[in-house]
Amino acid sequence: MQTSANPKTYRVKSFGCQMNVYDGDRMAELLTEQGIVPAPEGEDADLVVLNTCHIREKAAEKVYSDIGRLKREDGSSPLIAVAGCVAQAEGEEIMARAPAVKMVVGPQAYHRLPEMVRAASEGQRVTDTDMPAETKFDALPRRKRSGPTAFLTVQEGCDKFCTYCVVPYTRGAEVSRPYAALVDEALRLVEAGAREITLLGQNVNAWTGENARGQTVGLEGLARELAAIPELARIRYTTSHPNDMTQALIEAHGEIGKLMPFLHLPVQAGNDRVLKAMNRSHTVESYLAILDRVRAVRPDIALSGDFIVGFPGETDAEFEDTLKLVDAVGYAQCFSFKYSPRPGTPAATMDGQVPAAVMDERLQRLQAALNRDQYAFNTASVGKVCDVLVERKGKHPGQWLGKSPWLQSVHFTGDAQVGQLVRVEITSAGPNSLGAVPLDALVS
């Protein structure tokens, strides 16, 4: 099988979470620094990086399908690199099963991608799934490009060891990036055009660092520093763990105007026995107490979360408890999934695996309840006046799309530009988006 040597163009295809999007962007920057340019839309790339996610079932099989689709009509293939969490978990297996793959690189080693590309261009097959003690971020290029919204990874890894989750094995232990490095990267992103930055981490609210005055601070301290950047209009963060939702961070939601009124705080289930089996460190009562404290300082907060249905041993009555929790919270948006056993996790070998048909039925009921509440939240927004950060043009002439402070998609027609904050009045609501009319004043 022929492959491309000395690649001139690349394409990075990222799957899964926002951290993978961030990693994909950084790999693209690394390749661009080497003089390799993005392949034009619709054209084959000389180098393709599949930046994978291992959270869901059959993730590895999807990778092999994507590899197969990269084969060209003449029988040749691009240089193929498999990156991300599937690469970390199944690197040797990928190399054995897929001869077309020339590089396997884990999420803690992608700063070495340029040298791997050089080796692959010379006919070698290379694997790097090390989790080095030194930080990969020191080896990455300075940020030079950004859209109106940008991701900034501040923390990686997880020490929680939820029994269903592979992240501690594929991303490693919890590590916080240094305060000064994060402030510097945020400044570069803003200089490149970012108006909104979303701070990322597997447990982003576990981040800690030492500020410029030598004080140890949590995520709220970093948010305060970033809020002082004049051109930065908005700050968000995801994904959080209830165990790390400190009172200082909660109070920041009422004190930092640039910190958006949106909180993604996964609960995963609404029954204490199931939560304990998942090795979650919270109970339903403690989770609801956190939400009460957040709402006390920011009454208009939009709440988001994650749910898993069909965890091993979950009974019908325990699932009903999850529906009761949903009713009690009134989420603005949520993500819900059927439990899928991940190799090597304790839950994969637990007794009481729930039949697929039962999980399907529970997921449909849960999603119906979540969709109901999302639509109700959107409907309650009609009549509000808020600022929309314009992200791109819409499908219709003069139409623009952006996000409300509560992370709702908003469309309006009028004079605007990408990256502007436009004050609008919400005039209509659908299940997944809002319609608006711009008011006279352009915010910025």
Side-chain angles (χ1 to χ4, degrees), residues 269-322:
N271 176 271
D272 286 346
R273 190 205 65 80
V274 175
L275 290 171
K276 185 175 181 180
M278 290 177 166
N279 198 34
R280 301 289 287 178
S281 55
H282 56 86
T283 64
V284 172
E285 181 180 8
S286 68
Y287 177 81
L288 290 173
I290 293 171
L291 301 188
D292 287 342
R293 286 154 52 201
V294 175
R295 281 173 163 152
V297 300
R298 191 69 200 246
D300 67 335
I301 195 85
L303 297 171
S304 173
D306 292 346
F307 286 93
I308 296 172
V309 303
F311 187 80
E314 183 187 63
T315 66
D316 290 340
E318 289 168 341
F319 171 69
E320 293 293 336
D321 287 342
T322 292

Side-chain angles (χ1 to χ4, degrees), residues 163 273-274 277-278 310-315 318 339 341 345-355 359 362:
T163 56
R273 190 205 65 80
V274 175
M278 290 177 166
F311 187 80
E314 183 187 63
T315 66
E318 289 168 341
Y339 167 74
T345 60
T349 57
M350 285 182 178
D351 294 334
Q353 299 288 324
V354 177
M359 286 197 287
R362 290 178 184 172

Side-chain angles (χ1 to χ4, degrees), residues 127-180:
T127 298
D128 193 339
T129 53
D130 287 347
M131 292 190 179
E134 73 274 9
T135 173
K136 69 186 175 195
F137 296 99
D138 293 340
L140 296 175
R142 289 168 67 88
R143 308 302 297 270
K144 296 179 180 178
R145 60 188 180 90
S146 174
T149 64
F151 292 132
L152 173 56
T153 291
V154 304
Q155 178 271 344
E156 284 196 306
C158 184
D159 296 339
K160 303 297 190 288
F161 287 93
C162 297
T163 56
Y164 52 81
C165 186
V166 297
V167 166
Y169 313 105
T170 59
R171 289 274 184 173
E174 286 184 0
V175 176
S176 294
R177 292 182 62 192
Y179 181 95

